[in-house]
């Protein structure tokens, strides 16, 4: 009888552990979306004590892979899922649903000691393809340009590559970084460096945000369509979100959640309906 009681107790413990793990949500993907998710999750868990949420940010490509292989119910992407990713997902029985949670503008940044204030789209392309290698060629000091870029798993890289480089190959000597934070850190330490980051990272210590075509990256200029390098920020779920995942998504899209979006220097979806088709 004692042995039976011990076995029953063990089963109950395992059952409770399984229930606890089932309630956990592992969110994975974009480092650009991470500031929104981090702050939203903190606020959400403060009012939902029984729900545990972890966040792992290593790039939009990794977020898409995690959704496809089932290791996350909620993927963060700073780009839309590719047709090839959607096809692979559907082959594995996953039906990706896109949810726009914010807008962002990708902001070129230089070291705060750099005298350059503005670059055109053409100048940015020439710098990032290696055609321009000295700041004096774009109105700055006689100083070599150190190009800092995101790596290829990043949605930010893909957007920059498509909209700025026009799909030309990035400069072979570019320093490829795994996150927005890493780009900010490298540029902040190198006087001749240039990088690009999401708006939430553009004012990190040691950085100066550049205007593009004389337009500053800002919430206002993203909404009015004048800033030329703007995009949507996304969450993806497998089909219509349900349970605790739906509660979290609904919180991010609520007034309180959208205030969090604004508080980390991104552009809330609400009030942005006229801003159509941001990618």
């Amino acid at each position: 009888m004692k042995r039976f009681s011990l076995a029953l107790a063990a089963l109950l413990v395992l059952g409770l552990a399984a229930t606890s793990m089932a309630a956990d949500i592992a969110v994975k993907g974009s480092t650009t979306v991470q500031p929104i998710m981090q702050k939203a999750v903190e606020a959400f868990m403060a009012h939902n004590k029984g729900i545990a949420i972890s966040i792992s940010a290593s790039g939009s490509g990794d977020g898409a892979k995690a959704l496809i292989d089932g290791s996350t119910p909620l993927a963060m992407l700073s780009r839309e899922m590719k047709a090839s990713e959607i096809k692979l997902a559907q082959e594995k029985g996953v039906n990706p649903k896109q949810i726009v949670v914010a807008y962002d503008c990708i902001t070129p940044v230089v070291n705060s000691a750099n005298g350059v204030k503005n670059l055109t789209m053409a100048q940015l392309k020439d710098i990032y393809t290696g055609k321009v290698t000295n700041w004096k060629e774009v109105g700055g000091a006689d100083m070599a340009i150190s190009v800092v870029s995101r790596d290829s798993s990043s949605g930010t890289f893909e957007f920059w590559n498509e909209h700025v480089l026009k799909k030309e190959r990035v400069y072979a000597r570019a320093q490829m970084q795994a996150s927005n934070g890493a780009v900010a850190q490298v540029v902040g330490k190198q006087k001749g460096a240039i990088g690009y980051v999401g708006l939430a990272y553009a004012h990190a210590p040691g950085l100066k945000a550049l205007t593009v075509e004389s337009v500053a990256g800002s919430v206002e200029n993203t909404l009015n369509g004048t800033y030329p390098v703007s995009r949507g920020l996304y969450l993806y779920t497998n089909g219509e979100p349900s349970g605790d995942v739906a509660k979290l998504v609904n919180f991010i899209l609520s007034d309180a959640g959208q205030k969090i979006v604004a508080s980390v220097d991104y552009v809330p979806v609400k009030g942005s309906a006229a801003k159509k088709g941001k990618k």
Side-chain angles (χ1 to χ4, degrees):
M1 184 66 180
K2 185 176 181 181
R3 186 177 298 171
F4 174 78
S5 299
L6 289 172
L8 180 60
L11 286 172
L12 287 171
V13 169
L14 287 172
L16 287 171
T19 302
S20 175
M21 286 190 291
D24 291 354
I25 302 171
V27 182
K28 300 182 180 181
S30 167
T31 66
T32 301
V33 184
Q34 182 185 16
I36 296 172
M37 186 59 65
Q38 192 73 51
K39 199 163 183 179
V41 162
E42 289 172 5
F44 179 78
M45 289 198 300
H47 294 90
N48 294 272
K49 301 294 186 181
I51 304 175
I53 303 169
S54 64
I55 302 169
S56 175
S58 56
S60 295
D62 290 339
K65 289 176 186 175
L67 184 73
I68 293 167
D69 67 25
S71 63
T72 183
L74 190 60
M76 306 178 289
L77 275 75
S78 60
R79 59 164 172 81
E80 294 186 328
M81 281 187 74
K82 301 173 186 176
S84 59
E85 291 169 334
I86 293 173
K87 181 181 178 183
L88 179 60
Q90 292 172 340
E91 288 172 354
K92 295 193 173 187
V94 175
N95 181 30
K97 177 179 174 59
Q98 181 193 96
I99 303 159
V100 185
V101 294
Y103 294 126
D104 180 29
C105 52
I106 302 179
T107 310
V109 290
V110 295
N111 186 278
S112 57
N114 195 319
V116 171
K117 297 179 180 179
N118 176 74
L119 291 172
T120 66
M121 292 288 283
Q123 287 171 330
L124 285 168
K125 179 182 177 183
D126 286 347
I127 288 170
Y128 270 86
T129 54
K131 295 172 185 174
V132 168
T133 59
N134 193 295
W135 284 107
K136 69 180 180 181
E137 299 176 71
V138 290
D142 185 2
M143 176 173 56
I145 297 175
S146 179
V147 175
V148 183
S149 177
R150 291 295 305 279
D151 61 28
S152 60
S153 69
S154 159
T156 305
F157 169 85
E158 295 193 31
F159 190 92
W160 187 262
N161 179 258
E162 181 176 348
H163 289 80
V164 178
L165 275 63
K166 304 301 180 184
K167 297 186 178 180
E168 288 190 24
R169 188 179 296 275
V170 69
Y171 186 37
R173 295 183 180 179
Q175 302 175 60
M176 310 300 278
Q177 302 297 321
S179 67
N180 281 282
V183 171
Q185 187 174 34
V186 171
V187 175
K189 291 179 178 178
Q190 296 183 19
K191 190 175 179 180
I194 182 172
Y196 55 88
V197 294
L199 185 59
Y201 294 84
H203 302 290
L207 299 188
K208 180 172 70 176
L210 300 181
T211 57
V212 179
E213 303 287 353
S214 299
V215 179
S218 68
V219 171
E220 180 182 0
N221 291 335
T222 299
L223 288 174
N224 65 29
T226 58
Y227 187 75
V229 199
S230 300
R231 59 175 172 172
L233 299 180
Y234 309 98
L235 296 177
Y236 277 85
T237 57
N238 179 8
E240 197 68 33
S242 61
D244 293 336
V245 172
K247 289 179 183 178
L248 176 58
V249 170
N250 289 337
F251 173 73
I252 295 171
L253 293 174
S254 71
D255 288 343
Q258 291 295 290
K259 285 179 181 177
I260 289 172
V261 168
S263 75
V264 291
D265 292 329
Y266 288 128
V267 184
V269 173
K270 291 189 176 181
S272 309
K275 189 61 185 169
K276 58 184 180 182
K278 279 197 172 295
K279 302 290 179 67

